[in-house]
Amino acid sequence: MTPPAAPSGAAAVFGERLALAERFAAILADTGVSHGLLGPREVPRLWARHLLNCAVVEDAFPEGARLVDVGSGAGLPGVALAVARPDLEVHLVEPMLRRTTWLEGVVRELGLDRVTVHRGRAEELAGTVSAPWVTARAVARLDKLAGWCVPLLEPGGTLVAMKGRSAREELAEDRPALEALGLSSAVVSEHGATLLEEPVLTVDLVFDGARRPTGRGARGGRGSGARSTSGGRRSRRRRRPGDAPS
């Protein structure tokens, strides 16, 4: 399938790497659909709903940050972030073989030499893969998602959970479970308000390192084999989620 043309706002997010983002869009519209990673009805809204929706979250991460994308699937948000921010070191965690094989091919084709693909579930990779930043997009409800992601977070690290309109409601309802996991502080941040019809919301949770999930909270997760392939440098300071208003 043919992807739609990049909207005018795409240049503000991807800058000089817009052509690379357009290549990723073409891959998603082609093998992303044929491999079942994206539904054909999603192709007309690839940019607004997927590429830009993910890439605008790049302002959550400081320069040179190392991050893990749990349940990466079609490389959303991990590959989109790596395209927008070549300074990031990105680890894509995904348990399904056909998806990790596809992701490795995408990483090679786009030349993303700071991106590594891991096949396995998050709890299987605990102790092997870790980072100061972990992110995930629409994988599960907040308390369950946090149980999968905390084992990959370094003490003092931040989980940047991409959520929809329910972000604040989920945070309020799940706060006791989140605190039990050692996620001591939380804010809801908005991203892309000037570019998108509706800004992307993330729940940004800081892990105090005092507790680790056990029992039900630790089950699930995503993403072990590894390949590399991102490139380039960009120098600008990023805010930390703690700077955002609640």
Side-chain angles (χ1 to χ4, degrees):
M1 301 181 69
T2 303
S8 56
V13 179
F14 293 103
E16 62 184 17
R17 290 165 69 87
L18 178 58
L20 195 63
E22 291 174 325
R23 180 59 191 142
F24 183 36
I27 295 171
L28 286 169
D30 184 10
T31 59
V33 173
S34 64
H35 284 61
L37 291 119
L38 202 69
R41 293 183 180 180
E42 296 301 307
V43 172
R45 49 187 184 180
L46 260 178
W47 287 96
R49 186 179 176 87
H50 298 288
L51 290 170
L52 289 179
N53 184 275
C54 290
V56 294
V57 179
E58 56 93 16
D59 63 1
F61 308 104
E63 184 176 354
R66 185 174 78 256
L67 65 97
V68 178
D69 173 18
V70 173
S72 188
L76 302 167
V79 172
L81 289 171
V83 171
R85 290 279 306 280
D87 60 293
L88 298 176
E89 178 185 334
V90 180
H91 295 262
L92 309 178
V93 171
E94 170 58 47
M96 296 183 64
L97 176 59
R98 65 180 175 84
R99 291 182 178 181
T100 54
T101 300
W102 182 86
L103 284 168
E104 288 171 350
V106 170
V107 165
R108 284 193 301 271
E109 183 168 345
L110 298 181
L112 302 176
D113 57 17
R114 290 177 61 81
V115 177
T116 304
V117 180
H118 303 268
R119 181 183 170 217
R121 297 181 179 278
E123 70 272 22
E124 297 169 345
L125 297 174
T128 302
V129 177
S130 66
W133 301 85
V134 174
T135 189
R137 182 194 191 213
V139 173
R141 188 175 172 88
L142 192 55
D143 58 346
K144 190 172 185 179
L145 174 63
W148 294 343
C149 293
V150 164
L152 304 184
L153 264 178
E154 295 178 356
T158 301
L159 167 60
V160 179
M162 296 180 65
K163 284 290 177 180
R165 299 174 183 174
S166 66
R168 291 179 175 86
E169 179 182 348
E170 281 192 39
L171 176 57
E173 293 176 355
D174 294 348
R175 191 177 287 272
L178 297 171
E179 291 177 351
L181 292 171
L183 296 166
S184 56
S185 63
V187 295
V188 175
S189 304
E190 289 190 357
H191 309 267
T194 61
L195 295 174
L196 304 173
E197 290 185 8
E198 185 173 338
V200 177
L201 299 181
T202 61
V203 181
D204 308 326
L205 300 138
V206 178
F207 177 51
D208 62 22
R211 286 157 291 202
R212 291 284 175 176
T214 58
R216 286 182 59 192
R219 299 182 63 83
R222 317 269 175 141
S224 159
R227 292 283 181 276
S228 288
T229 42
S230 195
R233 294 277 189 279
R234 185 162 63 178
S235 176
R236 38 180 199 186
R237 183 175 179 79
R238 303 282 156 182
R239 65 169 177 78
R240 295 181 66 89
D243 296 333
S246 298

